[in-house]
Amino acid sequence: MVEKPSNAFLLERYRYSHDRMNRTIAAAESMIQTKKTEIEEKQVEVASVRERLFKAQKLLDKRKKLQKDFELQREQELELAEELELEDLAFQKIDMGNSQ
């Protein structure tokens, strides 16, 4: 005949299993909290990078506008220089005609 385990033995086995289960749950909760913290840190990092990218894009847009304005101004200066050169040539011809 097989002897039944004593109640004290069963109770001790239950307590051991229960404690082990509680440690496993605590470890899992700790891992979950660690992952949540890592995710939050990454989200802060991503937000920071997005903000820097936004600022960089604004600076790039501003640079492009300034470059375009500079090129337009340079073009106008060249046109003005050509006009002044033509006027100078005209005055030189007038002066040459007057001196003869």
Side-chain angles (χ1 to χ4, degrees):
M1 218 172 181
V2 177
E3 238 181 87
K4 287 171 98 178
S6 68
N7 284 343
F9 175 76
L10 291 174
L11 183 59
E12 186 60 33
R13 200 165 82 180
Y14 168 77
R15 284 184 184 153
Y16 174 77
S17 296
H18 189 66
D19 288 345
R20 200 165 117 197
M21 181 180 63
N22 283 340
R23 284 193 303 270
T24 303
I25 290 171
E29 287 173 343
S30 175
M31 285 175 48
I32 290 169
Q33 188 58 44
T34 300
K35 290 298 179 186
K36 281 183 179 178
T37 302
E38 288 174 5
I39 289 170
E40 289 170 358
E41 290 170 354
K42 291 291 181 187
Q43 287 173 334
V44 168
E45 198 175 309
V46 166
S48 173
V49 168
R50 281 188 180 147
E51 185 177 332
R52 289 192 318 232
L53 282 172
F54 177 74
K55 288 179 180 178
Q57 185 62 49
K58 283 176 61 176
L59 287 173
L60 184 60
D61 292 345
K62 189 174 184 178
R63 182 181 182 278
K64 285 180 182 177
K65 183 187 180 309
L66 289 173
Q67 181 68 30
K68 187 176 180 181
D69 290 348
F70 172 78
E71 289 172 1
L72 181 61
Q73 182 180 358
R74 182 74 176 136
E75 199 174 293
Q76 289 172 346
E77 287 174 355
L78 289 174
E79 288 173 4
L80 184 59
E82 286 176 8
E83 288 177 21
L84 290 174
E85 209 174 287
L86 291 175
E87 285 179 8
D88 284 347
L89 286 175
F91 283 128
Q92 285 176 3
K93 285 184 181 179
I94 292 172
D95 288 344
M96 290 175 108
N98 288 340
S99 62
Q100 289 178 354

